[in-house]
Amino acid sequence: MRGLKRNKQNIYYALYEGKRELTDEYGNKTGESEVLYSSPVLVKMSISAAKGNSELDLFGININYTKTIITDDTNCPIKEDSILWIGNSPQKEPHNYVVVQTAKSLNNIAYAVKEVDVS
């Protein structure tokens, strides 16, 4: 019962790949940088409806998060600097969630995710 298929939903994720320094049209450094992510990947995971009570929170009371995501794939590459598309498509809209914390156990990984507004 760890990962029932009927409880899983489609999620896209992209992994953080670093930063690239921006240059102007003459090749001069501008002092700004651009964050780079991998191409979005589709996975199926169990998503909570909303944040739980602080007494029962998996991640404690100091973490500000909107939902939790659980997977039974203990080799899942999603990390705390990954971005997610939940209920959205990366081909149509920007990401709408970021991973704020992970909790890995023997049989699963739980992710605390926070909703963000990206223009």
Side-chain angles (χ1 to χ4, degrees):
M1 295 225 334
R2 286 185 290 155
L4 292 174
K5 278 188 174 181
R6 67 177 178 209
N7 293 337
K8 294 182 179 182
Q9 301 174 34
N10 288 339
I11 299 172
Y12 289 90
Y13 71 87
L15 302 175
Y16 175 79
E17 293 186 335
K19 291 184 179 181
R20 177 178 61 184
E21 194 164 350
L22 297 177
T23 57
D24 62 14
E25 63 271 12
Y26 304 108
N28 300 319
K29 296 179 181 178
T30 63
E32 298 176 353
S33 60
E34 175 184 25
V35 179
L36 302 174
Y37 289 97
S38 66
S39 298
V41 177
L42 174 66
V43 292
K44 288 182 145 316
M45 295 185 185
S46 178
I47 305 170
S48 71
K51 184 176 174 181
N53 295 332
S54 62
E55 302 89 49
L56 302 174
D57 274 348
L58 181 63
F59 300 98
I61 59 173
N62 294 330
I63 303 299
N64 184 15
Y65 64 97
T66 311
K67 296 182 180 200
T68 57
I69 299 172
I70 298 176
T71 181
D72 58 351
D73 178 10
T74 56
N75 295 320
C76 184
I78 297 175
K79 294 187 169 85
E80 291 179 6
D81 48 9
S82 301
I83 57 175
L84 306 170
W85 289 261
I86 299 176
N88 288 348
S89 171
Q91 292 82 15
K92 298 178 183 175
E93 301 176 53
H95 69 278
N96 57 349
Y97 284 86
V98 295
V99 178
V100 293
Q101 193 164 0
T102 62
K104 188 172 183 177
S105 71
L106 184 62
N107 296 320
N108 61 34
I109 303 174
Y111 300 100
V113 299
K114 182 177 181 178
E115 189 169 15
V116 293
D117 184 23
V118 179
S119 303

